[in-house]
Structure formats: C-alpha cells, structure tokens
Amino acid sequence: MNDDTPHGVASESNAGRKSSLTPELITKAKLYINEFREGGFVLPTVEGLAYYLGVARSSVYKYEGENSEFSDIVETVRQLQAIMLINGGLMGDFNASIAKVMMTKHGYSDKQEIDNTSSDGSMKPVFNIVGVSPDDNSASGDSTE
C-alpha cells in the first residue's frame, strides 16, 4: 500500500482488514463535542460519543488506538468532561458524590493519610510489662492465713 492511504482504509498493519472508521465518522465525532447537550447528555462521555456515533464503546477505544485524529477527539471529550465536573462540582450544579466518583477517571482521588508517628517521638508507644509469679496467690483470692 502507498503512504497516502487515507485513515479508515486497510493498511499492512491490520492485515487487510478494513476499519469501519470513516472520515464521516470522524466529522460526526467532532460535532459531538459541541452538540452533546442537544442529544440529551449532561456531560460529554466516551459512552455518549459511542451512542452518538452509533457504535459500541469498544469501537471508540479501537478507533482511538488506530487514528491520531480520532484519539485527539476522544481526549478532548475527556478534558471537557473533567473541566465540567470541576466547575459543576464547585458551583453546586452536580451532585458532589457523583462528581467525586467521576473525577477518579481523571486521576483525582479523595484520600486521607493518617500519620501515627511524630517527628519528636512524643507519640512513641509505651509498653509496661508486669511480671507475675506463679506463687502469687493474691491474684486468685486464696489466702494462706
């Protein structure tokens, strides 16, 4: 095959199997970024993009790996989603719990680290060891008097 093979057409790397990613699908994917709300979506998502394009989510991931232009579109969807989650969470437009869960997909986390040590040693554990002898009858309440 020659070097001017358009995206979506079989190449030597996929052993003659033709991809279903077409220039029209790429154009439609670009439209999703600006029109996702008109499709009833609150946020842009990979799932929403797949639905908008009429393909499976796995196909979106496949196209993302095959085509740099499509990969850029998917990355824009993710970036826009993160920005909207941050802004919507800060403004109170989104449920905070849902926004927090969705932000984990963007590398954010909500974790607390508890340090049970102190730099000056003041929190050092103290162990008191008390010896008990077997001849000590006071512990059992027996008296020899």
Side-chain angles (χ1 to χ4, degrees), residues 22-141:
T22 63
E24 293 79 23
L25 213 54
I26 292 172
T27 300
K28 191 172 181 182
K30 289 177 185 175
L31 290 174
Y32 172 77
I33 293 169
N34 296 315
E35 297 178 357
F36 68 90
R37 284 192 180 101
E38 293 159 19
F41 302 104
V42 175
L43 286 171
T45 62
V46 172
E47 290 79 2
L49 175 61
Y51 183 81
Y52 186 79
L53 297 176
V55 301
R57 183 178 52 181
S58 59
S59 295
V60 170
Y61 294 129
K62 183 179 126 199
Y63 300 156
E64 181 182 20
E66 291 176 353
N67 183 286
S68 63
E69 186 177 10
F70 194 85
S71 178
D72 289 344
I73 294 166
V74 173
E75 183 59 27
T76 300
V77 166
R78 290 184 181 119
Q79 289 171 341
L80 186 56
Q81 181 186 85
I83 291 166
M84 291 180 72
L85 283 168
I86 291 168
N87 290 340
L90 291 171
M91 300 297 291
D93 296 334
F94 294 138
N95 176 293
S97 296
I98 299 298
K100 185 167 76 170
V101 168
M102 291 184 73
M103 288 304 295
T104 63
K105 298 287 186 182
H106 300 281
Y108 294 87
S109 66
D110 180 26
K111 62 181 174 181
Q112 297 177 355
E113 292 186 26
I114 299 172
D115 185 5
N116 289 329
T117 62
S118 60
S119 59
D120 64 357
S122 62
M123 292 178 60
K124 191 178 224 178
V126 176
F127 297 101
N128 291 326
I129 300 175
V130 178
V132 179
S133 109
D135 294 339
D136 186 6
N137 291 333
S138 64
S140 65

Side-chain angles (χ1 to χ4, degrees), residues 14-26:
N14 62 15
R17 185 171 177 188
K18 187 174 180 179
S19 172
S20 55
L21 181 62
T22 63
E24 293 79 23
L25 213 54
I26 292 172

